[in-house]
Amino acid sequence: MNSPSTQFVSSRRMGVYDPLQQINMWGESLKSNVNLTASIPLIDEADIKFDSQSEDASHGMLGTNNKYDQEASKPIDKIQRRLAQNREAARKSRLRKKAYVQQLESSRLKLMQLEQELERARQQGMYVGGGLDTNHLGFAGPINSGITTFEMEYGHWVEKQNSQILELRNALNSHIGDLELRILVDDMMNHYSEIFRMKSAAAKADVFYVMSGMWKTTAERFFLWIGGFRPSELLKVLLPLIEPLTEQQRLDVCNLGQSCQQAEDALSQGMEKLQQTLADSIAAGQLMEGSYIPQMATAIEKLEALVSFVNQADHLRKETLQQMSRILTIRQAARSLLALGEYFQRLRALSSLWSNRPREPA
Amino acid sequence: MEKVTRLASERGVVIFTKSSCCLCYAVKILFQELGVNPTVHEIDKDTEGREMEKAIARLGCSAPIPVVYIGGKLVGSTNEVMSLHLSGSLIPLLKPYSATLS
């Protein structure tokens, strides 16, 4: 039985201290656990949570007196315990939600990375996961910023190349003057110089990436020679497309092709020598010894020589293009650059068609 | 450095290389393919190799080695040799020193 004084004390205690504090806490836990779009009077909700047995659940503070009368009949520590349990439950709920959100965020990042990788692999016509920088366990190695930069720049380079090809085609079809044509030709030549400069930087970052032509499409990679196209082959492809030529021009182009071939042979033999000396230095000493650190040091020196080979091959490509433009008239040079650009566009298209071709179900 | 210039003038086609350098080997192969037998000096095997290397670096070629002299005159490194060859100017330089070209 509650004496009036006890009732007064307990209701005051609850009316002034606990329920207010509890209302705040419920409001807080509600905000974090429930999406409150409408503004629900906190006191009403608190009332409902506070005492599910309450009859007057929606009449603000005025109704609490009734409720407190009923509550006052329960032992106070039971109520305290329930309040504490509720606080604890709310806290745990908030922590769980935080952990869940963090997990979602990291999964989202991982998904973005996987999508990028997949896109890159599709463009190159490779199986996913068979790509760059795999160590012996087959996982992708640490990201190489020099290569990431290169790949990004290469995307822009191809876009600009495509628009230059379009411009050149339109110009040749519209019979513009030699002076304007020269500007377009020079632009394209400079653009090729740009890719060679980019490749040189990429070779310093990861020479194997450049040697393997990783940024190229599959069909382009089929024709790979020391990290790029073979200049003498390209001359053979382009020659019939730039006819008619004068006798002198035909002779000059022929000689250029032959010099190119000889230079390529010399570089190829140098590469073979490099492979041989690398194999020798790795195998030096007794195999099956278990320790091979001195061999690794020598081998690494040899690998650094690869960079100079890649640069030399690119120098050969650049020189071949420049010699071509010297031998030919401006109009012939424009036609040959257009043919060259279109040739690579077709190779890229072929790679795309190949990787998207319908396959027989296994 | 006088040793370098002396060796360079001794023969028609002289290449300064290092024994481990495969690009030097490629340049040698190119000359042989053009019918010339170049005289190769491996500066890493020479007692005065360090000074020779410094002297060669001062010549200002595109790369320190290989360095090519034809008829006692400096031609340059791999870049210069390749450019000359593609422009058709290398073979005329080699003609006096080649059995097959002249």
Side-chain angles (χ1 to χ4, degrees):
Chain A
M1 252 351 257
N2 280 341
S3 66
S5 58
T6 330
Q7 189 180 357
F8 177 72
V9 163
S10 56
S11 70
R12 169 175 287 181
R13 195 183 298 153
M14 291 184 202
V16 172
Y17 180 65
D18 272 325
L20 278 180
Q21 193 185 28
Q22 188 57 38
I23 285 164
N24 282 340
M25 292 184 113
W26 283 126
E28 205 188 343
S29 83
L30 275 173
K31 277 185 204 154
S32 61
N33 286 328
V34 176
N35 235 344
L36 292 175
T37 47
S39 52
I40 302 168
L42 293 174
I43 293 169
D44 286 344
E45 286 293 326
D47 280 347
I48 291 168
K49 277 206 192 298
F50 193 77
D51 182 7
S52 52
Q53 294 162 1
S54 163
E55 292 167 2
D56 285 352
S58 55
H59 290 304
M61 276 306 247
L62 286 175
T64 56
N65 279 335
N66 260 346
K67 198 171 38 65
Y68 290 161
D69 284 343
Q70 292 176 357
E71 281 307 306
S73 60
K74 285 194 183 174
I76 288 174
D77 57 354
K78 240 196 196 169
I79 294 165
Q80 297 277 38
R81 205 184 327 137
R82 190 149 64 134
L83 289 179
Q85 283 172 350
N86 287 341
R87 281 197 291 274
E88 190 54 35
R91 193 179 73 86
K92 283 194 179 143
S93 175
R94 281 195 297 276
L95 286 174
R96 276 199 304 274
K97 183 182 176 183
K98 190 175 174 192
Y100 179 62
V101 168
Q102 278 175 354
Q103 200 187 40
L104 277 182
E105 282 293 310
S106 62
S107 296
R108 190 175 74 97
L109 268 173
K110 183 115 190 270
L111 184 64
M112 273 169 54
Q113 280 173 7
L114 283 174
E115 278 180 340
Q116 277 179 11
E117 214 183 280
L118 193 64
E119 189 51 49
R120 203 186 302 147
R122 265 204 216 106
Q123 280 177 10
Q124 298 178 357
M126 288 186 315
Y127 293 108
V128 176
L132 332 156
D133 278 343
T134 51
N135 62 22
H136 65 284
L137 288 174
F139 298 115
I143 296 173
N144 187 330
S145 67
I147 297 302
T148 316
T149 308
F150 175 81
E151 290 195 329
M152 199 185 62
E153 288 180 347
Y154 181 69
H156 298 322
W157 188 90
V158 171
E159 276 172 28
K160 191 171 173 194
Q161 174 81 335
N162 289 336
S163 69
Q164 282 183 341
I165 289 169
L166 202 60
E167 211 179 346
L168 199 54
R169 191 181 300 130
N170 292 338
L172 283 171
N173 286 338
S174 72
H175 311 291
I176 67 166
D178 279 5
L179 238 61
E180 292 106 313
L181 207 54
R182 175 164 289 284
I183 293 171
L184 292 179
V185 166
D186 285 348
D187 278 350
M188 215 175 220
M189 292 292 284
N190 288 336
H191 198 52
Y192 277 112
S193 298
E194 188 57 29
I195 188 73
F196 295 134
R197 189 200 57 76
M198 282 159 55
K199 281 172 72 182
S200 182
K204 286 200 192 96
D206 183 352
V207 72
F208 283 111
Y209 178 89
V210 178
M211 278 293 300
S212 317
M214 296 306 295
W215 70 97
K216 287 177 179 283
T217 59
T218 36
E220 285 175 290
R221 247 183 278 140
F222 179 62
F223 294 97
L224 203 69
W225 174 78
I226 311 186
F229 61 84
R230 198 184 264 272
S232 61
E233 279 305 311
L234 222 52
L235 283 178
K236 282 185 204 150
V237 166
L238 294 179
L239 188 54
L241 302 173
I242 48 179
E243 294 280 2
L245 294 168
T246 66
E247 275 315 300
Q248 183 61 48
Q249 281 180 326
R250 198 169 292 121
L251 187 64
D252 287 342
V253 173
C254 219
N255 286 339
L256 178 63
Q258 193 180 33
S259 312
C260 221
Q261 186 81 69
Q262 287 164 336
E264 285 167 22
D265 283 347
L267 284 181
S268 293
Q269 288 190 54
M271 279 289 287
E272 276 172 34
K273 180 105 195 290
L274 185 61
Q275 279 185 330
Q276 182 199 318
T277 55
L278 182 65
D280 286 348
S281 62
I282 291 175
Q286 302 272 347
L287 289 171
M288 301 179 289
E289 253 178 4
S291 163
Y292 44 77
I293 293 171
Q295 290 89 334
M296 291 299 110
T298 326
I300 289 203
E301 275 172 32
K302 302 252 173 280
L303 286 182
E304 281 160 359
L306 262 181
V307 179
S308 51
F309 269 94
V310 169
N311 287 336
Q312 207 56 61
D314 275 348
H315 177 257
L316 201 66
R317 293 172 185 119
K318 192 172 166 187
E319 280 295 304
T320 306
L321 288 174
Q322 281 174 351
Q323 280 301 320
M324 277 285 276
S325 69
R326 261 174 238 150
I327 294 169
L328 303 173
T329 66
I330 193 63
R331 205 153 284 268
Q332 288 168 328
R335 289 217 313 275
S336 66
L337 282 176
L338 179 61
L340 181 64
E342 272 185 25
Y343 180 72
F344 283 114
Q345 278 178 335
R346 290 185 190 187
L347 272 181
R348 281 184 219 121
L350 179 64
S351 303
S352 222
L353 284 170
W354 176 254
S355 61
N356 291 326
R357 76 192 187 285
R359 268 160 260 239
E360 292 292 314
Chain B
M1 183 196 171
E2 60 146 58
K3 180 162 187 180
V4 171
T5 38
R6 180 174 49 84
L7 290 173
S9 324
E10 265 177 10
R11 291 274 192 276
V13 182
V14 177
I15 316 180
F16 293 95
T17 66
K18 279 189 181 170
S19 54
S20 56
C21 170
C22 293
L23 206 51
C24 302
Y25 177 79
V27 170
K28 188 182 83 168
I29 293 290
L30 179 63
F31 281 121
Q32 286 173 348
E33 218 174 290
L34 299 178
V36 170
N37 215 3
T39 308
V40 176
H41 294 292
E42 292 176 339
I43 60 175
D44 57 331
K45 297 268 171 73
D46 196 304
T47 44
E48 293 172 81
R50 281 254 173 84
E51 287 140 52
M52 290 171 79
E53 192 170 352
K54 283 189 200 147
I56 287 167
R58 277 196 292 271
L59 296 170
C61 302
S62 53
I65 50 139
V67 162
V68 175
Y69 283 82
I70 301 179
K73 287 211 195 98
L74 176 67
V75 168
S77 189
T78 325
N79 273 3
E80 285 83 21
V81 169
M82 295 292 180
S83 300
L84 270 179
H85 190 42
L86 289 188
S87 67
S89 314
L90 186 64
I91 289 185
L93 283 180
L94 293 174
K95 268 216 172 99
Y97 311 105
S98 161
T100 56
L101 289 178
S102 45

